[in-house]
Amino acid sequence: NPHIWYDPHTMSVYAQALSQFLMTIDFQHRQQYQAHYQAFMAQQKKLYQLIKRIKRQHPNISVIATEPIFGYMAQALGFRMEGIAFQHSMMNGVEPSPQQVQDFQRQLQQHRVKLVFFNRQVSSPLVFYLLHQAELNGIPIIGVTETQPVSTTYYQWMNDQLKRVEYVLNERH
């Protein structure tokens, strides 16, 4: 599941399991693994605080996405994700049905959603068309990635994306 990285709780569980495993097989470097784990968890705490702040400041908003990449994080933020069937079609390389496309467009045209998330690593004429529709309707667009960018940490990757969400939502209110 390439989107599991967007579940903030998964990373804490994974970090603990990995550090325990490494400390077991490489006892000599146990203190270093423990220090790295503690530093990671301190960063996770900052992410949790940011998530809670966004959730508190922007409760119960509806969002939509071209793929389900941001789904776990949207759930953590308390967002209502619209257009799930469309997202799964796109993710699976299946042409969305005309009804799914119309539903997506209706969400934009009727301003039922506050944000549009899209996968910056994948493009298609349909996605470009829908992003253009979002722009025409004044709905902010936030690009997200399935994979962690090179030369960034997990914390930097998630923090940057969450800060963009917060900035855009704060600008709209």
Side-chain angles (χ1 to χ4, degrees), residues 3-52:
H3 308 146
I4 199 73
W5 312 115
Y6 282 93
D7 182 344
H9 301 292
T10 297
M11 293 308 293
S12 298
V13 171
Y14 176 72
Q16 182 179 21
L18 180 61
S19 66
Q20 291 296 324
F21 174 75
L22 292 172
M23 286 187 283
T24 301
I25 65 167
D26 186 11
F27 190 79
Q28 180 181 355
H29 297 104
R30 180 182 172 101
Q31 289 179 330
Q32 291 165 311
Y33 295 128
Q34 184 64 30
H36 287 292
Y37 171 72
Q38 289 174 347
F40 180 82
M41 291 309 294
Q43 291 176 333
Q44 282 298 99
K45 184 177 179 181
K46 290 178 186 177
L47 286 179
Y48 293 146
Q49 290 168 345
L50 179 55
I51 289 166
K52 286 179 185 176

Side-chain angles (χ1 to χ4, degrees), residues 62-122:
S62 292
V63 298
I64 199 164
T66 59
E67 287 187 47
I69 295 172
F70 201 75
Y72 292 119
M73 187 61 77
Q75 185 177 12
L77 291 164
F79 295 169
R80 286 186 310 275
M81 183 61 76
E82 306 293 341
I84 301 294
F86 177 93
Q87 294 174 44
H88 286 282
S89 293
M90 293 300 290
M91 176 181 69
N92 293 321
V94 176
E95 193 68 31
S97 72
Q99 183 65 41
Q100 290 171 345
V101 175
Q102 287 173 352
D103 288 343
F104 197 110
Q105 289 175 297
R106 193 173 302 112
Q107 296 288 334
L108 300 174
Q109 292 165 349
Q110 296 176 359
H111 297 271
R112 293 184 184 169
V113 294
K114 300 288 185 193
L115 296 173
V116 175
F117 294 96
F118 80 102
N119 183 350
R120 291 189 343 216
Q121 296 169 308
V122 177

